[in-house]
Amino acid sequence: MASEFIVECIDCGQQTPFSAQAQVCPCCGSSWREARYDYKKISNTLLPLLATRPFDLWRYHELLPVRSPNFDLSMGEGGTPLIRATNLGMMLGCSNIYIKDERQGPTSSFKDRQAAVSIATLKEAGISEFVVASTGNVAISYSAYAARASIKLWAFLTSLVPAAKMREVAIYGTQVIKVTGSYDQAKLVSAQFAKQKGIPMDTGARSISCIEAMKTISFEIAEQLAGILGPARPSSNGRSEPLRAPDWYIQAVSGAMGPIGVLKGFQELKQMGWIDHIPKMASIQTEGCAPMVHAWKQNKEIAAPVQSPHTLIATLATGDPGRTYTVLRQKMLDASGGTFESVTDEEAYRAMHFVAKMEGLSIEPAAAVAFAGLVKLVRAGVIKPSETVVVNCTGHTMPVEHSILGEGWSRDIVLSPASAGMEEVVEEGLLAALSKVAIDRFPRIAIVDDNPDVRRLIRRILQSQGDYTLFEATNGREAVELAHKEHPNLMILDLMMPEMDGFSVLEKIQSSPDTADIPVIVVTAKELTPAEKEQLHGHVQKLMQKGDFMNDDLSDEVRALLG
Ligand SMILES: Cc1ncc(COP(=O)(O)O)c(C=O)c1O
Ligand SMILES: [Zn+2]
């Protein structure tokens, strides 16, 4: 049970007990309030209890606005894995990138936390109907939990929401109201409806339950990072906090409930002495709907609304963030700072594809916006290679796979109907069909690098983009031998290797008529001196810096060189 829990108005300071029905301050009418707990008491008792509890969001129920967790409503919300993004980290030159895999929530989005906690508080308050406006995921999550709680849900969805998502909302028994208009308009209509009917509604970042639910993302990350990396190093006062915060937390934003809740979570952990710092927040929007990014870059406290968002990513189409931006900005400034950044839809779709190909995760475009933001911030030097980064990840590629893959992503086998007694003919047809699936001779590429992880990464990049016969050499001497023996069509060469370095390999293969014509792409982590660049000039077809190329960059070069 949430002990000593009170709601405080951020405008007049009035403190009141929590009520799921009361959505504004009784004193000044402000809808901006925050939950406060007896952190001292909780910090003394909760940590040892955590070790005895299942890894779901209810393990933190002392810090949630529910009287007691209702396990009849639960579907295993929270407790999602924190996955190391090894390949992505290598491509970006950052070794500590982690993905908070919210796809593994009951309806595959981080909004399951919001719905689970909100619906639990509504159930405790005896509420039987609820209204929500959504760009898809919120309505899906609420619908699932409302079904379990026997609460009737009215979901106002902007007509931009993909049809597959709308149907998912309906299938849970929710009444879908399709609003032909923007998300901001859908919110206004739903608020009017809720008021008219006297039904409570989801108030997004102004809802105590929602913000409190999002905090659990931070609690889990801090526990998981401490498990993976160990607790933070003792600070100057000799104290070592038991949990560990990342340097950055990255999330795509629309209404900004996620970042506000996550920041509050880290603030509470800091206040309880469980972490030594609050992470920097990177909130990412799409270029066609980036009111918060514009305001942040102009150092403004208030975001000017974007009247007509232009983005394919409807999930993130809040054109008017209202005071949410101001609240988030202040929280960031009070903590460790951070930034707002925007990316194009195209960058997001590319990110979606490389996260699938390089990390094995199928994510939705809105989540890919956060990954595209990560790439942009690393390249701009805002995120440093040594920093620990956590990226929030949600959804599934399914609704948009057709637009990423385009044509030609499959090879077809068409078999004529088998005829009895004609096995040889059938087998012949099969062989002919299979010969089209994979041609006999692929371009041959030698990968030369002493680091097995780099060889594995390059192998993965090439194999996920085309058909190649790949050879590997682990040092310069092997590379020269390989060049003579296999005569590859292309060599991808590291420079810094023991025994014989890349410069000597180049010299050797290019001085032998047998191997002089092999094109070479140098992929190196070395900061080259002007003299070294000069030495390579005219001898290599392309020079690429490790940690500064994405999968497509390398495969584009390879394809261009192989013709
Ligand atoms: C995948 C995903 N990312 C980000 C958001 C933005 O959420 P918010 O800005 O409210 O935290 C949403 C909203 O539904 C979402 O589904
Ligand atoms: Zn007030």
Side-chain angles (χ1 to χ4, degrees):
M1 175 177 154
S3 52
E4 317 291 331
F5 160 57
I6 204 88
V7 173
E8 188 176 291
C9 172
I10 69 168
D11 288 317
C12 74
Q14 172 80 17
Q15 293 193 334
T16 41
F18 172 71
S19 145
Q21 280 112 322
Q23 296 185 327
V24 295
C25 166
C27 183
C28 73
S30 168
S31 52
W32 288 92
R33 299 157 313 137
E34 268 203 352
R36 308 244 184 268
Y37 303 78
D38 183 344
Y39 297 110
K40 195 150 189 269
K41 185 169 156 198
I42 295 173
S43 72
N44 289 331
T45 53
L46 183 55
L47 205 52
L49 283 175
L50 289 181
T52 67
R53 293 182 178 172
F55 195 56
D56 63 26
L57 65 72
W58 300 111
R59 68 199 264 102
Y60 313 109
H61 67 83
E62 285 86 346
L63 289 163
L64 290 173
V66 286
R67 279 193 291 280
S68 58
N70 181 340
F71 293 107
D72 289 341
L73 298 183
S74 175
M75 293 190 274
E77 49 281 350
T80 57
L82 189 69
I83 300 170
R84 178 125 177 242
T86 318
N87 286 340
L88 188 52
M90 280 174 71
M91 289 192 290
L92 290 171
C94 301
S95 51
N96 277 313
I97 295 176
Y98 296 89
I99 298 173
K100 184 64 173 155
D101 190 5
E102 293 287 289
R103 300 172 318 148
Q104 300 200 35
T107 76
S108 313
S109 96
F110 73 109
K111 297 294 185 179
D112 287 329
R113 297 174 189 269
Q114 168 185 358
V117 175
S118 275
I119 292 284
T121 61
L122 295 174
K123 191 79 185 152
E124 279 185 347
I127 289 167
S128 58
E129 279 187 68
F130 196 56
V131 175
V132 65
S134 169
T135 52
N137 288 343
V138 174
I140 291 171
S141 297
Y142 266 111
S143 296
Y145 284 93
R148 292 183 73 76
S150 308
I151 288 176
K152 176 169 172 68
L153 191 67
W154 302 82
F156 288 72
L157 299 170
T158 135
S159 45
L160 304 171
V161 172
K165 283 195 172 181
M166 285 211 190
R167 282 195 288 268
E168 191 177 347
V169 175
I171 218 139
Y172 289 115
T174 292
Q175 180 56 61
V176 172
I177 297 108
K178 210 189 286 184
V179 181
T180 305
S182 69
Y183 176 42
D184 293 325
Q185 287 169 324
K187 273 198 280 194
L188 286 177
V189 179
S190 67
Q192 200 59 38
F193 173 84
K195 198 170 157 203
Q196 232 177 47
K197 296 269 180 201
I199 306 173
M201 76 172 293
D202 178 84
T203 52
R206 290 165 297 156
S207 151
I208 298 288
S209 312
C210 296
I211 295 298
E212 296 306 289
M214 289 302 167
K215 284 184 340 193
T216 58
I217 296 178
S218 333
F219 298 167
E220 289 176 15
I221 290 172
E223 280 200 79
Q224 289 169 310
L225 271 186
I228 297 168
L229 299 172
R233 259 167 268 120
S235 49
S236 48
N237 59 16
R239 208 186 124 87
S240 177
E241 286 74 10
L243 304 187
R244 185 163 187 147
D247 296 304
W248 286 92
Y249 174 81
I250 308 188
Q251 174 149 8
V253 295
S254 181
M257 172 201 306
I260 291 180
V262 166
L263 269 180
K264 182 167 192 270
F266 282 119
Q267 275 161 346
E268 289 184 349
L269 292 176
K270 176 94 177 12
Q271 200 166 340
M272 293 193 294
W274 290 4
I275 56 172
D276 64 357
H277 70 276
I278 298 170
K280 286 167 278 193
M281 174 67 59
S283 300
I284 319 293
Q285 300 199 288
T286 59
E287 260 176 27
C289 185
M292 303 196 209
V293 182
H294 299 316
W296 176 263
K297 293 198 169 170
Q298 292 163 10
N299 201 16
K300 288 196 174 141
E301 276 180 40
I302 296 171
V306 169
Q307 300 298 351
S308 336
H310 283 290
T311 172
L312 292 172
I313 306 174
T315 312
L316 301 178
T318 299
D320 184 4
R323 190 167 163 190
T324 325
Y325 163 71
T326 312
V327 170
L328 174 57
R329 177 180 179 271
Q330 197 53 51
K331 267 199 187 299
M332 282 165 57
L333 295 176
D334 291 345
S336 316
T339 194
F340 286 82
E341 191 50 88
S342 61
V343 296
T344 61
D345 286 3
E346 198 197 341
E347 286 168 329
Y349 276 71
R350 263 188 79 167
M352 186 168 145
H353 206 179
F354 73 62
V355 171
K357 272 193 285 199
M358 301 309 295
E359 295 297 339
L361 305 184
S362 164
I363 66 174
E364 70 173 271
V369 163
F371 285 89
L374 164 74
V375 173
K376 194 163 177 181
L377 292 172
V378 170
R379 287 193 164 159
V382 177
I383 294 178
K384 306 278 180 301
S386 60
E387 291 186 308
T388 304
V389 183
V390 174
V391 190
N392 181 307
C393 153
T394 273
H396 198 281
T397 46
M398 209 130 62
V400 292
E401 281 162 4
H402 58 99
S403 51
I404 311 182
L405 288 174
E407 301 295 318
W409 49 271
S410 76
R411 288 170 198 168
D412 301 342
I413 294 180
V414 181
L415 296 177
S416 47
S419 356
M422 294 184 68
E423 272 87 9
E424 321 84 79
V425 180
V426 172
E427 198 178 320
E428 241 171 58
L430 194 59
L431 290 177
L434 285 177
S435 70
K436 287 196 207 128
V437 171
I439 49 170
D440 284 343
R441 268 187 75 81
F442 300 129
R444 297 146 62 78
I445 304 178
I447 304 168
V448 184
D449 204 303
D450 57 321
N451 182 336
D453 290 332
V454 175
R455 293 199 305 272
R456 187 187 51 73
L457 177 72
I458 294 177
R459 176 175 277 277
R460 173 63 199 151
I461 290 174
L462 296 175
Q463 285 183 329
S464 68
Q465 321 261 348
D467 289 324
Y468 303 107
T469 299
L470 302 176
F471 304 95
E472 293 185 20
T474 65
N475 59 47
R477 184 185 43 75
E478 278 182 25
V480 176
E481 281 169 16
L482 185 64
H484 282 281
K485 187 160 161 257
E486 301 292 350
H487 204 90
N489 305 97
L490 175 70
M491 180 176 276
I492 298 177
L493 178 65
D494 181 25
L495 286 182
M496 289 185 299
M497 290 181 290
E499 278 184 63
M500 182 193 290
D501 67 12
F503 294 101
S504 315
V505 172
L506 268 177
E507 218 177 284
K508 282 225 167 351
I509 63 171
Q510 292 183 348
S511 61
S512 161
D514 211 21
T515 52
D517 61 339
I518 299 174
V520 175
I521 296 178
V522 161
V523 174
T524 180
K526 189 171 164 42
E527 270 304 322
L528 294 179
T529 62
E532 284 169 332
K533 279 193 185 149
E534 186 52 37
Q535 200 179 338
L536 292 177
H537 189 73
H539 295 279
V540 303
Q541 273 59 38
K542 181 78 189 172
L543 179 60
M544 299 182 93
Q545 206 69 35
K546 272 181 199 164
D548 189 29
F549 67 89
M550 299 308 288
N551 50 335
D552 289 353
D553 303 333
L554 179 64
S555 50
D556 287 353
E557 284 303 332
V558 167
R559 262 195 293 265
L561 281 173
L562 291 174

